[in-house]
Amino acid sequence: MLKLLQNALIVALGVFLASYLLDGIHYDNKQALLLVVVLLTLFNLFLRPVLILFTLPFVIFTLGLGVWLINSVLFFVAGRAVSGFHVDNFWDAIWGALIVSLTTMIANGFLNKSKTGSTSGRFNFNVRLNRGGMAPGQQPGNATPRKALRKDDDKVIDI
């Protein structure tokens, strides 16, 4: 629940920045802004993953830029659904979605720092390829035998 509130606050900051920086995105009152933030948070939670799944070949073909288009469509729909929040045209929705995405990326980068200063990233890649029973960097002529690797240890990718 705390993570959802954190995401909603980050989206609120992004929508506020988009409305501040772009002339084509504006709101009449704070209630409209709050309603758009709630709607975009719900879209991101439920609708966005389904849309990405259904358009996965397009997203892969565009090297991820299709996600930006999906975010733009959701931003545009939210602007049309909430009275008092205005997105003038689809180009403004594209730039607004970019601002919200960049704000989210930067804020998550700052918020996901641990006490040691390293990021607590979502992905941790560990790759070890060892086929000859030698330690990495060892020359074949002076190799000392090591314990036999199991069949599963041949190629390891931990995510």
Side-chain angles (χ1 to χ4, degrees):
M1 189 68 172
L2 185 62
K3 185 73 171 168
L4 183 65
L5 181 63
Q6 175 184 339
N7 287 342
L9 289 175
I10 292 171
V11 169
L13 177 64
V15 171
F16 176 76
L17 284 175
S19 67
Y20 181 76
L21 295 174
L22 300 172
D23 292 332
I25 298 174
H26 44 91
Y27 56 94
D28 296 339
N29 51 33
K30 292 179 183 174
Q31 290 82 12
L33 182 65
L34 181 65
L35 192 57
V36 164
V37 168
V38 169
L39 190 61
L40 282 176
T41 302
L42 292 175
F43 281 172
N44 286 335
L45 189 61
F46 297 111
L47 192 58
R48 184 173 174 255
V50 173
L51 290 174
I52 291 174
L53 180 67
F54 285 139
T55 61
L56 193 59
F58 175 71
V59 170
I60 292 171
F61 181 72
T62 60
L63 301 175
L65 290 177
V67 175
W68 182 22
L69 187 64
I70 290 171
N71 290 343
S72 302
V73 168
L74 294 177
F75 197 83
F76 190 72
V77 168
R80 294 290 182 225
V82 175
S83 64
F85 186 82
H86 310 282
V87 179
D88 291 345
N89 55 43
F90 191 69
W91 283 108
D92 290 324
I94 288 175
W95 292 114
L98 179 66
I99 291 171
V100 172
S101 297
L102 289 175
T103 304
T104 303
M105 183 179 67
I106 292 169
N108 283 333
F110 282 121
L111 292 174
N112 289 336
K113 296 268 185 186
S114 67
K115 293 180 183 177
T116 61
S118 65
T119 60
S120 60
R122 295 180 184 151
F123 301 104
N124 183 14
F125 290 100
N126 248 343
V127 178
R128 180 182 67 196
L129 298 174
N130 192 351
R131 295 184 183 182
M134 295 182 296
Q138 232 177 8
Q139 298 297 324
N142 61 0
T144 57
R146 290 178 33 176
K147 70 175 189 152
L149 293 174
R150 294 186 324 228
K151 182 179 178 183
D152 297 340
D153 287 342
D154 195 16
K155 297 178 186 104
V156 176
I157 298 177
D158 295 332
I159 298 179

